[in-house]
Amino acid sequence: MRKLTPFAAILAAMMPFAGQAQEKVDAAMMQKIRQEGLENSKVMEIAFNLTDKSGNRLTASPGFMRAANYAKKTLEGWGVKNATIDPWGEFGKGWELEKSYVALTAPYYKPLPAYVKAWTAGTKGLKSAEIVLVKPLKDSTSIEAYRGQLKNKLIIMEPAVMPVYNISFKADARRYEETELQKMADEKPVTPGAGGRPGGGRFGNFNQDSVRAAQRALVLFKEMAIKDGAVGILSNGTARSHDGTVFAQGGGVYKKGDPENILDIVLGIEDFNTILRLTKAGAPVKLDVDVKTKFQTQDLTGYNVIAEIPGTDPALKDEVVMLGAHLDSWQTATGATDNASGSSVMMEAMRILKTLGVQPRRTIRIALWSGEEQGLLGSRGYVKKTFADPATMTTTPAHEKFSSYFNIDNGTGKIRGIYLQGNEQCRDIFQAWLAPFNDLGAKTVTISNTGGTDHQSFDAVGLPGFQFIQDPIEYDSRNHHSNMDVYDHLIEADLKQISTIVAAFVYNAAQRDQKLPRKEMPKPRTQTGF
Amino acid sequence: MRKLTPFAAILAAMMPFAGQAQEKVDAAMMQKIRQEGLENSKVMEIAFNLTDKSGNRLTASPGFMRAANYAKKTLEGWGVKNATIDPWGEFGKGWELEKSYVALTAPYYKPLPAYVKAWTAGTKGLKSAEIVLVKPLKDSTSIEAYRGQLKNKLIIMEPAVMPVYNISFKADARRYEETELQKMADEKPVTPGAGGRPGGGRFGNFNQDSVRAAQRALVLFKEMAIKDGAVGILSNGTARSHDGTVFAQGGGVYKKGDPENILDIVLGIEDFNTILRLTKAGAPVKLDVDVKTKFQTQDLTGYNVIAEIPGTDPALKDEVVMLGAHLDSWQTATGATDNASGSSVMMEAMRILKTLGVQPRRTIRIALWSGEEQGLLGSRGYVKKTFADPATMTTTPAHEKFSSYFNIDNGTGKIRGIYLQGNEQCRDIFQAWLAPFNDLGAKTVTISNTGGTDHQSFDAVGLPGFQFIQDPIEYDSRNHHSNMDVYDHLIEADLKQISTIVAAFVYNAAQRDQKLPRKEMPKPRTQTGF
């Protein structure tokens, strides 16, 4: 391993790049890829296997392993080499739901669609529970009012204001308008030469003292609730949980040695508000709850699926082009758009290339990650062990031999272009690569970063990692971490288009004379305090 | 009772009507009604009691009776007189759900939001069932292939084509555009002088022989399935059942002496399609089902809630103005927009008038109907016993004394105007009545009929019965007969506007010198073969 000095990094960033104006594209091969991808697609069959057949793919769950084994076997079946279920480090406990029954029993009977947060405990049989409303907890003293009051109760952390159902006067689904795409294309780099550190994106910033005190109080409250024999917590998920679409994720810690989290059940806003209104009105509210969950602690390792089409050019075959997507999902559905769609199109891109008998100059490697939903863990683990440690920026020889990584993780919408992730040197290259697919709606190259997924793990160590621009469709409104992220919400035509364009990009990256140009090497995390 | 001859009917229709050009409106009273209705509204409190607190209000169910008793007591509390839970004839059996648990257990565990059709039987405990796909039944011989194959099975009547989930590129909710309203206003009578018989609307026409053969085969198949010990049927409701919104209604007959219907469970299109795809792919699909239902056969009578503000003008107090809405709902939700909204605004209109101390010239009578969802049964029963038999057009003296009936049953959207139901003579009157509320968006008078609800029961016997034009909001897309027809889908501002305008219309009808003009008396059903 060698350590890249900041000086060398600056030099690398300043290196001239050649041939972009006349970036060569093999038009005949593009046509073949297009035909195979659009006419003979298997992408929906792959998606069916990853969703309906596997079930949810929470990292380290049986569903994830079913999908991983299917992917490995299927890739092998197509003749893709070196397929492996590859450990990337310690993830933590597996978890799955074995039973979930939730119903209102007073003032009348009504079964409630309810979604158990991952890594929470069960009820140990059927419990009949009344509601206790808990006022917002400010600090550790504010929990005392509830000590001794929680036995056999379902807890509602009373929201400061009643959650509001918003009537949908705007369509759930949309595609990008031309004007929006043009605006993206016109964007200028915000921080020229920046290392593209992951930031912003989906993850908020909660560092204020009062927030920390409230968070600490909540932890203590939950511990007390478990000790005092509460049945669990009733949550309303997010304000997006409406019309029967319910968003639910994890219910707490899952690492080796962590305690089981208190049962936490998410209802849609309508049922949650009904229970809240009835309770506040003094009506006799009761629920039956019977939840059984199972923790898997035999194997705490996290796994990615890796496989490759080996390079054939003696001078370039040790160099690597990667394509990938995360295979893991949340637990309430089968993660069709987050991210069976990405995993399916990546597998399909490999199938297209194998079917066409491509003998790439560079090695083409697919990665289907796990632990993305818990913080890009699988890709970070893989990058760290394979290319560089972002804490020190100590690199391996493979770092030098790496061309680029292409990611899909924004739902089922077709490709409209690609984010440069601050790497202006790739603009003309990608513009040329998109040209054969402009008629399919893909033409925009933007300097922007996009956050929250696995290309960031590459970008964070100075490797060219890219994510495509995709039409939003109903990703945020209906799919993303909801019970409605299921097969039927996939759009077949769009997934075919994505597979085709990804296969073309990967092919082009594998065949071009140079690796893709890089941005400046980021500073070690130890120096930036990140 | 007297029989109106066709000749007399023609005379009645030709009677001159006076004063429409200068229809008088008491502007000061309109202002008072507006202030009370918009500023001091109780409509959401009423709606909360009819929905969250009562539960579903399937006719003859405990939830309906809770709501009916609340309505009677509340009206009495406001000083409304002669409040009664009024029998209108024999309805049939009551029904309620006592338990419903449905989950996929193979190839993996997943709890399924599932909705049991009304008047179907339970499972007699927890059953684990595999799927049997049944091809479309053409006639009674096509059921033989399944004889002996149904024990402990869940039946899917295989659709001819896979149900399609349609991504929502159009908003669920909308309001009428000005151009649409203008188009309604410009409509011309299609059948001038027609009696306004109920027709079209929600109820289709299934008279072809092949359809009848298939329907008969289905009845025989269900009888066989019960006898052979099938667990039940899995249905996908309608194509609108998506995103967690599931539409479900009745599962068959409910009259005295009718057999229990086979259990019929409705899933959303996503879960239904998943099970269908897995089954077709040969995957080992299993479900746990535990459903308990309860039939009520003690009291087969149907009831409406009736109450009134007695008239005070010696010459007119025996004449009646009615306002009403159906109180009954389907069983999967609390019928907030179908039709707690209508019932709430009608009660609120009565509250407004009582609060203002109105001493009406004519009697103002509210009716909250039952059995609307099974064919306008409550209002038809009431009209038949009170005013006229539509089969013979034999009328009672009350028929002559009747002014008009105003109905609300199109969801939570505010009033944009009123349907004349073919009665052109009322155009100028209603235009004048709407004038004080034009600024609230209500100004359109259309000659059109609108079908499918209780004003038709009046219209059918030659009595002026009207329904208002309401903004559609998300009535068809999310609410109408779905699990999402719940309190949070109500729009408070719209319900206040409706209550206000209805109170004003009823007041005007009660005070004007003449009853509202009538259309020609319809011919007896016995003569038309209807």
Side-chain angles (χ1 to χ4, degrees):
Chain A
M1 293 194 224
R2 70 187 179 93
K3 176 112 184 274
L4 197 70
T5 63
F7 180 68
I10 291 162
L11 272 185
M14 291 168 66
M15 265 165 41
F17 53 92
Q20 285 185 18
Q22 62 267 47
E23 178 72 17
K24 278 174 286 186
V25 175
D26 180 341
M29 179 54 79
M30 293 303 102
Q31 187 50 37
K32 280 186 200 167
I33 288 173
R34 188 173 166 131
Q35 186 154 346
E36 184 61 27
L38 300 182
E39 309 293 331
N40 304 324
S41 180
K42 300 273 187 212
V43 72
M44 293 308 284
E45 183 186 320
I46 301 167
F48 169 64
N49 278 278
L50 296 183
T51 58
D52 284 345
K53 283 199 80 173
S54 296
N56 85 71
R57 300 179 310 281
L58 188 72
T59 298
S61 73
F64 179 86
M65 292 313 293
R66 275 192 293 273
N69 284 312
Y70 160 80
K72 175 174 181 283
K73 203 178 129 189
T74 302
L75 288 162
E76 284 172 341
W78 295 331
V80 179
K81 300 295 179 203
N82 308 326
T84 173
I85 293 181
D86 185 51
W88 54 260
E90 183 167 310
F91 170 74
K93 295 182 266 189
W95 181 91
E96 67 180 314
L97 193 60
E98 294 196 318
K99 168 142 196 192
S100 175
Y101 170 65
V102 182
L104 193 66
T105 56
Y108 43 81
Y109 182 84
K110 189 188 182 201
L112 302 177
Y115 296 89
V116 177
K117 289 189 185 172
W119 294 293
T120 66
T123 53
K124 301 188 174 70
L126 177 66
K127 293 285 194 307
S128 174
E130 292 175 349
I131 300 291
V132 58
L133 296 185
V134 173
K135 298 276 173 203
L137 300 170
K138 285 191 184 130
D139 52 44
S140 54
T141 60
S142 53
I143 74 171
E144 293 307 321
Y146 304 97
R147 197 175 292 279
Q149 310 296 312
L150 304 174
K151 189 168 174 61
N152 289 328
K153 293 289 199 297
L154 273 168
I155 295 158
I156 289 181
M157 310 305 293
E158 195 179 336
V161 289
M162 196 81 186
V164 174
Y165 169 79
N166 291 308
I167 303 263
S168 301
F169 284 103
K170 245 178 69 181
D172 292 334
R174 57 186 290 267
R175 293 188 182 279
Y176 280 125
E177 307 280 348
E178 286 302 322
T179 48
E180 292 175 286
L181 292 166
Q182 190 55 53
K183 210 172 147 189
M184 285 191 215
D186 293 343
E187 273 175 37
K188 300 283 170 253
V190 183
T191 48
R197 274 288 165 71
R202 299 181 195 163
F203 308 110
N205 179 24
F206 298 101
N207 285 327
Q208 302 96 322
D209 282 354
S210 63
V211 173
R212 264 194 286 209
Q215 283 176 335
R216 178 73 191 136
L218 186 59
V219 170
L220 291 172
F221 176 80
K222 286 180 177 179
E223 284 172 12
M224 181 176 83
I226 293 172
K227 228 172 63 185
D228 286 3
V231 171
I233 294 172
L234 272 189
S235 298
N236 81 320
T238 75
R240 295 181 301 163
S241 290
H242 69 292
D243 298 335
T245 303
V246 180
F247 295 79
Q249 305 183 199
V253 292
Y254 58 87
K255 296 289 182 190
K256 181 183 176 181
D258 281 337
E260 287 188 5
N261 302 291
I262 187 169
L263 173 62
D264 196 334
I265 298 168
V266 184
L267 302 178
I269 190 173
E270 297 91 345
D271 287 327
F272 182 85
N273 281 357
T274 292
I275 290 169
L276 194 51
R277 275 189 299 269
L278 285 170
T279 304
K280 286 179 162 201
V285 178
K286 274 194 175 178
L287 280 85
D288 270 0
V289 185
D290 188 355
V291 173
K292 194 176 172 194
T293 65
K294 184 180 177 181
F295 288 82
Q296 181 277 108
T297 54
Q298 298 300 301
D299 184 357
L300 301 169
T301 308
Y303 297 97
N304 303 314
V305 179
I306 309 285
E308 56 191 31
I309 304 173
T312 54
D313 184 323
L316 300 180
K317 66 181 183 175
D318 292 340
E319 293 185 0
V320 173
V321 174
M322 288 189 72
L323 65 166
H326 73 90
L327 185 60
D328 66 303
S329 74
W330 282 109
Q331 77 282 5
T332 65
T334 54
T337 73
D338 186 19
N339 187 17
S341 49
S343 296
S344 301
V345 298
M346 293 301 163
M347 288 179 66
E348 168 69 359
M350 293 296 271
R351 188 198 67 77
I352 293 168
L353 296 173
K354 282 304 296 179
T355 301
L356 296 178
V358 163
Q359 302 285 326
R361 298 177 71 191
R362 291 185 182 81
T363 292
I364 295 172
R365 186 182 298 160
I366 185 174
L368 304 176
W369 314 112
S370 66
E372 192 273 349
E373 297 295 1
Q374 290 73 40
L376 325 184
L377 303 180
S379 58
R380 283 181 173 163
Y382 180 83
V383 165
K384 185 174 171 182
K385 74 171 188 174
T386 313
F387 302 114
D389 182 344
T392 60
M393 289 301 160
T394 311
T395 61
T396 70
H399 189 277
E400 179 57 37
K401 298 261 183 211
F402 187 83
S403 166
S404 46
Y405 169 74
F406 298 96
N407 195 73
I408 284 282
D409 185 22
N410 273 326
T412 193
K414 70 180 175 188
I415 289 178
R416 306 306 301 272
I418 192 165
Y419 296 96
L420 285 173
Q421 211 68 22
N423 186 344
E424 184 63 35
Q425 301 170 86
C426 288
R427 184 184 293 273
D428 293 344
I429 302 170
F430 290 164
Q431 210 78 70
W433 292 3
L434 284 172
F437 308 102
N438 287 172
D439 67 315
L440 301 180
K443 63 175 186 196
T444 300
V445 179
T446 175
I447 192 66
S448 285
N449 291 285
T450 184
T453 187
D454 296 299
H455 68 291
Q456 289 187 318
S457 302
F458 293 83
D459 192 64
V461 296
L463 295 175
F466 302 100
Q467 162 117 320
F468 292 91
I469 303 168
Q470 292 176 260
D471 273 334
I473 312 298
E474 48 179 27
Y475 193 61
D476 284 331
S477 58
R478 291 283 169 205
N479 303 144
H480 181 239
H481 303 180
S482 88
N483 62 335
M484 284 298 132
D485 196 4
V486 290
Y487 179 92
D488 287 283
H489 289 242
L490 296 173
I491 304 178
E492 183 170 349
D494 286 42
L495 296 185
K496 288 177 177 172
Q497 187 254 29
I498 303 173
S499 317
T500 301
I501 295 175
V502 168
F505 264 61
V506 166
Y507 177 83
N508 291 332
Q511 300 305 94
R512 80 192 298 269
D513 292 335
Q514 292 86 28
K515 303 193 296 289
L516 284 186
R518 297 183 181 190
K519 295 186 293 186
E520 183 183 352
M521 189 72 181
K523 289 191 176 59
R525 208 176 277 180
T526 44
Q527 287 183 24
T528 59
F530 178 79
Chain B
M1 290 193 230
R2 71 191 178 91
K3 178 112 182 273
L4 198 71
T5 65
F7 179 68
I10 291 163
L11 270 186
M14 291 169 63
M15 262 166 43
F17 53 91
Q20 283 184 19
Q22 61 268 47
E23 178 71 20
K24 278 173 285 184
V25 175
D26 179 343
M29 179 56 78
M30 293 302 102
Q31 187 50 38
K32 280 185 201 169
I33 287 174
R34 187 172 166 132
Q35 183 153 346
E36 184 62 26
L38 300 182
E39 309 293 333
N40 304 323
S41 180
K42 300 275 186 207
V43 72
M44 294 308 284
E45 182 187 319
I46 301 167
F48 168 65
N49 277 280
L50 296 182
T51 59
D52 285 344
K53 283 198 79 171
S54 297
N56 84 69
R57 301 179 308 281
L58 188 71
T59 298
S61 73
F64 178 85
M65 291 314 293
R66 273 192 294 272
N69 284 312
Y70 160 80
K72 175 173 181 285
K73 203 177 127 188
T74 303
L75 288 162
E76 284 172 340
W78 294 331
V80 179
K81 301 296 178 200
N82 307 325
T84 173
I85 295 182
D86 185 53
W88 54 258
E90 183 167 310
F91 170 74
K93 294 183 268 188
W95 180 91
E96 67 181 313
L97 194 59
E98 293 195 319
K99 168 145 198 190
S100 174
Y101 170 67
V102 182
L104 194 67
T105 57
Y108 45 81
Y109 182 84
K110 190 188 182 202
L112 302 177
Y115 296 88
V116 177
K117 289 188 186 172
W119 294 292
T120 67
T123 54
K124 299 188 176 71
L126 178 67
K127 294 284 192 309
S128 174
E130 292 175 347
I131 301 291
V132 58
L133 297 184
V134 173
K135 298 275 176 207
L137 299 170
K138 286 190 183 127
D139 51 45
S140 54
T141 60
S142 52
I143 75 170
E144 294 306 321
Y146 304 98
R147 197 175 291 281
Q149 310 297 311
L150 303 176
K151 190 171 173 58
N152 288 330
K153 293 288 198 296
L154 271 169
I155 295 157
I156 289 181
M157 310 306 293
E158 195 177 338
V161 289
M162 195 81 185
V164 175
Y165 170 79
N166 291 307
I167 303 262
S168 301
F169 285 103
K170 245 179 69 181
D172 292 335
R174 59 186 289 269
R175 294 189 181 278
Y176 280 125
E177 308 278 349
E178 286 301 322
T179 49
E180 293 174 285
L181 291 167
Q182 189 56 52
K183 210 173 148 190
M184 285 191 214
D186 293 343
E187 274 176 38
K188 300 280 168 255
V190 183
T191 48
R197 272 291 164 65
R202 302 179 195 161
F203 309 108
N205 179 22
F206 298 101
N207 286 326
Q208 302 96 322
D209 282 355
S210 63
V211 173
R212 263 193 289 209
Q215 283 176 335
R216 177 73 191 137
L218 186 59
V219 169
L220 292 172
F221 176 80
K222 286 181 178 179
E223 283 173 12
M224 182 177 83
I226 292 171
K227 225 171 67 187
D228 286 3
V231 172
I233 294 173
L234 272 189
S235 299
N236 80 322
T238 76
R240 296 180 300 161
S241 291
H242 69 294
D243 298 334
T245 303
V246 179
F247 295 78
Q249 305 182 199
V253 291
Y254 58 88
K255 296 290 183 190
K256 180 183 176 178
D258 281 337
E260 286 189 7
N261 302 292
I262 188 170
L263 173 63
D264 196 332
I265 297 168
V266 184
L267 302 177
I269 190 172
E270 298 92 345
D271 287 326
F272 182 85
N273 281 357
T274 292
I275 290 170
L276 194 52
R277 277 189 299 270
L278 286 169
T279 303
K280 286 180 162 199
V285 179
K286 272 194 177 178
L287 281 86
D288 270 0
V289 184
D290 188 354
V291 173
K292 193 175 173 197
T293 65
K294 183 179 177 182
F295 288 82
Q296 182 277 107
T297 54
Q298 297 303 300
D299 184 359
L300 301 169
T301 308
Y303 297 96
N304 303 314
V305 179
I306 309 285
E308 56 191 29
I309 303 174
T312 56
D313 184 323
L316 301 180
K317 66 182 183 175
D318 292 341
E319 293 186 1
V320 173
V321 174
M322 286 189 73
L323 66 166
H326 72 88
L327 184 61
D328 66 303
S329 74
W330 283 108
Q331 77 282 4
T332 66
T334 53
T337 72
D338 188 18
N339 189 18
S341 48
S343 296
S344 301
V345 298
M346 292 303 164
M347 286 179 67
E348 168 68 359
M350 293 295 270
R351 188 198 66 78
I352 293 169
L353 296 175
K354 280 304 294 180
T355 301
L356 296 179
V358 163
Q359 301 285 325
R361 298 178 71 191
R362 290 184 182 81
T363 292
I364 295 173
R365 186 183 298 160
I366 184 173
L368 304 176
W369 314 111
S370 67
E372 191 274 349
E373 297 295 1
Q374 290 73 40
L376 325 185
L377 303 181
S379 57
R380 283 180 174 164
Y382 180 82
V383 165
K384 186 173 169 183
K385 76 172 186 170
T386 313
F387 303 113
D389 182 343
T392 59
M393 289 302 159
T394 310
T395 61
T396 69
H399 189 277
E400 178 59 35
K401 300 261 181 208
F402 186 82
S403 166
S404 47
Y405 170 73
F406 297 96
N407 195 74
I408 284 283
D409 185 21
N410 272 326
T412 192
K414 70 180 176 188
I415 289 178
R416 307 305 302 271
I418 192 164
Y419 297 97
L420 285 173
Q421 212 68 21
N423 186 345
E424 183 63 34
Q425 300 170 87
C426 287
R427 185 184 291 275
D428 294 342
I429 301 170
F430 289 163
Q431 210 79 67
W433 292 2
L434 284 172
F437 308 102
N438 285 172
D439 66 315
L440 301 179
K443 64 177 185 194
T444 301
V445 179
T446 175
I447 191 67
S448 286
N449 290 285
T450 184
T453 187
D454 296 297
H455 67 291
Q456 289 186 317
S457 302
F458 292 82
D459 192 64
V461 296
L463 295 176
F466 302 99
Q467 160 119 321
F468 292 90
I469 302 168
Q470 292 176 261
D471 272 333
I473 313 295
E474 49 179 28
Y475 192 62
D476 284 333
S477 57
R478 293 282 168 205
N479 303 143
H480 183 238
H481 303 180
S482 87
N483 62 336
M484 284 299 132
D485 196 3
V486 290
Y487 179 93
D488 287 282
H489 289 242
L490 296 174
I491 304 178
E492 183 171 349
D494 287 42
L495 295 187
K496 288 177 179 173
Q497 188 253 28
I498 303 173
S499 315
T500 301
I501 295 175
V502 168
F505 265 62
V506 166
Y507 177 83
N508 291 333
Q511 300 306 92
R512 82 191 297 267
D513 292 335
Q514 291 86 29
K515 299 193 300 287
L516 284 184
R518 298 184 179 189
K519 295 187 293 188
E520 186 182 352
M521 189 72 182
K523 290 191 176 59
R525 210 177 274 179
T526 45
Q527 286 182 26
T528 60
F530 178 80

